[in-house]
């Protein structure tokens, strides 16, 4: 199987897990469940669950609770996209080539679809305890939950989103330090959660989990810079969402600060270091190494 076929197969497996864990669309809350399903089924790259599973494979052992965390993380990622696209935030009508949730279901339902997904994510992650057998399983699940809460919350993605919103205000003077804080938290934090949780559930030691945290930070920052590059160089047809939105929103990005060429150089350096970390572990995962490179240099 070549990389592309393997990626398709593994992405398909993630889709199966997501379908299994998504709640049934019924009852008086049927509308919000439908909106949650719409957003999750919009078909993203499933990068975070993929990274989680591959990071676990790097450390050998398969954990029964892993799929619960894979679904939980994708639900959190999806909620963040629903809220990010809202008129009060980025006001984007398209995402992943489809109308955004608020455009289809209205702003009111979109807000609570995000809330619903965030809460349901933790319900889903907690189900990993039901699959725990040994005391180590329980301890690893607890540790994974702490990482999930931390990296998704105010000391992670939400914190990064806050700084990002402030950075857009004309009175804010955006420094390079602030920009890095935004990338590290808004984007890298969930990638860190993916790779650290995968490692933790597979029994990696503290040192290895720390290395995964650093590796994922590089991937996240490179991924975000690439996102900013694509916002300048790509098109709606390729990307599935409007380009030029950073400029439209007068957004200061790594690209506006350093220019395209320096941004591309930075992406290459970060990616090289990230892959270097992966290559340093005693077990190699060639698929993961290629996945990281492809994600960073993606065209959409
Ligand atoms: C695209 O991911 C998403 C990012 C680059 C991260 C953006 C971060 C936010 C929008 C944070 C928002 C936070 C709050 C609290 C509202 P992707 O390319 O993996 O998307 P895909 O799943 O569509 O492939
Ligand atoms: Mg946005």
């Amino acid at each position: 199987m070549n990389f592309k076929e393997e990626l398709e197969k593994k992405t398909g497996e993630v889709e199966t897990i997501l379908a299994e864990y998504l709640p049934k669309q019924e009852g008086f809350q049927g509308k919000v469940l439908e909106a949650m399903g719409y957003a999750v089924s919009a078909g993203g790259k499933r990068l975070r669950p993929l990274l989680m599973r591959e990071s676990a494979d790097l450390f050998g052992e398969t954990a029964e609770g892993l799929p619960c965390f894979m679904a939980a993380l994708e639900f959190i990622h999806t909620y963040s996209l629903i809220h990010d696209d809202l008129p009060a935030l980025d006001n984007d009508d398209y995402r992943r080539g489809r109308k955004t949730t608020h455009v289809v279901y209205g702003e009111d339902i979109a807000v609570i679809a995000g809330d619903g997904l965030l809460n349901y994510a933790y319900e889903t992650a907690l189900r990993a305890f039901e699959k725990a057998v040994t005391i180590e399983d329980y301890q690893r699940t607890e540790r994974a939950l702490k990482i999930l809460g931390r990296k998704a919350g105010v000391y992670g993605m939400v914190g990064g989103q806050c700084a990002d919103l402030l950075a857009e205000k004309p009175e804010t003077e955006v420094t390079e330090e602030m920009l890095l804080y935004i990338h590290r938290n808004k984007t890298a934090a969930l990638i860190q959660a993916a790779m650290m949780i995968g490692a933790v559930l597979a029994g990696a030691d503290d040192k290895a989990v720390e290395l995964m945290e650093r590796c994922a930070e590089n991937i996240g920052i490179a991924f975000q810079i690439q996102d900013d590059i694509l916002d300048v160089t790509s098109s709606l047809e390729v990307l599935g969402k409007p380009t030029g939105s950073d400029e439209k929103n007068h957004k200061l990005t790594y690209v506006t600060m350093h220019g395209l060429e320096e941004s591309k150089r930075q992406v290459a350096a970060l990616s090289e270091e990230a892959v270097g970390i992966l290559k340093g572990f005693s077990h190699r995962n060639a698929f993961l190494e290629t996945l990281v490179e492809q994600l960073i240099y993606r065209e959409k």
Side-chain angles (χ1 to χ4, degrees):
M1 238 191 298
N2 63 27
F3 175 79
K4 196 166 165 273
E5 289 162 349
E6 210 175 337
L7 179 63
E8 269 169 27
K9 180 168 165 274
K10 286 172 190 280
T11 308
E13 285 162 10
V14 175
E15 297 295 346
T16 307
I17 291 170
L18 293 176
E20 185 188 331
Y21 283 96
L22 261 177
K24 285 206 175 55
Q25 299 172 9
E26 58 192 13
F28 283 114
Q29 73 277 54
K31 194 50 91 183
V32 72
L33 290 165
E34 191 188 316
M36 287 159 63
Y38 173 82
V40 172
S41 313
K45 294 180 287 297
R46 310 310 191 193
L47 158 64
R48 293 152 192 81
L50 279 170
L51 284 174
M52 192 185 287
R53 166 153 282 168
E54 294 311 311
S55 299
D57 281 355
L58 201 58
F59 297 95
E61 299 166 39
T62 20
E64 293 290 323
L66 190 68
C68 304
F69 279 94
M70 289 166 66
L73 189 58
E74 189 68 8
F75 293 164
I76 291 178
H77 167 59
T78 307
Y79 115 75
S80 83
L81 300 183
I82 297 177
H83 282 186
D84 187 64
D85 290 332
L86 285 171
L89 286 93
D90 279 0
N91 195 17
D92 279 319
D93 289 349
Y94 285 90
R95 156 98 52 192
R96 298 162 169 171
R98 298 208 312 180
K99 292 229 161 81
T100 43
T101 311
H102 66 90
V103 172
V104 178
Y105 291 92
E107 254 180 274
D108 47 2
I109 295 292
V111 169
I112 61 167
D115 299 334
L117 274 172
L118 175 57
N119 281 282
Y120 200 72
Y122 287 97
E123 284 188 56
T124 307
L126 282 164
R127 286 171 65 182
F129 280 117
E130 294 165 12
K131 303 189 192 282
V133 180
T134 63
I135 192 78
E136 280 82 21
D137 293 339
Y138 280 93
Q139 286 167 340
R140 288 170 191 177
T141 304
E142 186 210 350
R143 204 161 158 218
L145 269 169
K146 280 186 181 155
I147 294 169
L148 187 64
R150 183 87 183 178
K151 295 293 182 186
V154 281
Y155 299 104
M157 180 182 69
V158 173
Q161 178 73 347
C162 173
D164 196 26
L165 293 174
L166 293 178
E168 280 172 42
K169 304 217 183 294
E171 64 271 25
T172 309
E173 204 196 307
V174 184
T175 58
E176 174 134 25
E177 187 195 358
M178 186 173 181
L179 198 60
L180 207 62
Y181 172 88
I182 293 169
H183 289 0
R184 188 177 287 135
N185 288 281
K186 186 183 141 176
T187 306
L190 283 201
I191 296 179
Q192 290 179 314
M195 298 185 73
M196 292 168 76
I197 289 171
V200 162
L201 292 180
D205 63 19
D206 288 354
K207 176 91 184 14
V209 176
E210 247 173 61
L211 280 169
M212 291 303 267
E213 187 172 26
R214 217 180 75 222
C215 174
E217 178 177 312
N218 278 359
I219 297 172
I221 294 173
F223 185 84
Q224 186 58 58
I225 297 176
Q226 183 70 8
D227 214 58
D228 298 339
I229 292 174
L230 292 176
D231 192 69
V232 176
T233 61
S234 195
S235 64
L236 171 65
E237 292 71 36
V238 177
L239 219 49
K241 64 177 185 180
T243 51
S245 74
D246 292 340
E247 199 186 340
K248 184 187 84 188
N249 298 325
H250 305 291
K251 201 158 175 172
L252 205 66
T253 68
Y254 200 89
V255 176
T256 49
M257 215 176 247
H258 296 283
L260 264 180
E261 286 319 304
E262 173 56 25
S263 302
K264 286 181 186 168
R265 260 197 298 279
Q266 190 64 21
V267 165
L270 288 163
S271 134
E272 203 174 308
E273 200 197 319
V275 175
I277 292 175
L278 295 179
K279 286 182 174 163
F281 292 116
S282 53
H283 288 281
R284 289 281 294 272
N285 181 337
F287 176 80
L288 177 59
E289 289 167 21
T290 310
L291 177 65
V292 168
E293 276 163 358
Q294 301 245 332
L295 278 170
I296 293 177
Y297 295 111
R298 73 199 190 281
E299 295 298 322
K300 58 179 184 173

